[in-house]
Amino acid sequence: MASIVKHRKVNIVVLEQDEAIGEHCKPGDIAIAAAADGWWTSFIGEDGGIDSYDIPYPSYQEALWAAKAAAEFGV
């Protein structure tokens, strides 16, 4: 079940492996999604487009840290 971590007025939506970004996120959110190869960090644009880093993070904590860092800059 998806959960939300708020940081600097940005929703960081934590998704489990089979949860879809489009079902739980809205423009301006950052998604952290569990996958077989690691934790993916994705950004939902104002037009609904999704942009992700090139490689996943090996742990939830690292993905969360990256998402919080991005939220600091208003991404």
Side-chain angles (χ1 to χ4, degrees):
M1 181 171 189
S3 61
I4 296 175
V5 175
K6 274 260 209 228
H7 187 74
R8 302 281 186 199
K9 299 182 182 177
V10 174
N11 287 337
I12 300 171
V13 183
V14 182
L15 303 170
E16 293 184 25
Q17 192 162 352
D18 294 328
E19 293 182 309
I21 290 174
E23 292 178 17
H24 299 281
C25 298
K26 62 183 185 351
D29 288 349
I30 299 172
I32 298 174
D37 57 350
W39 289 85
W40 288 90
T41 304
S42 302
F43 306 91
I44 296 72
E46 291 303 318
D47 62 353
I50 299 170
D51 189 25
S52 300
Y53 289 140
D54 293 340
I55 58 172
Y57 288 94
S59 72
Y60 164 77
Q61 289 299 328
E62 289 172 284
L64 180 61
W65 181 87
K68 284 183 175 182
E72 292 283 332
F73 292 101
V75 176

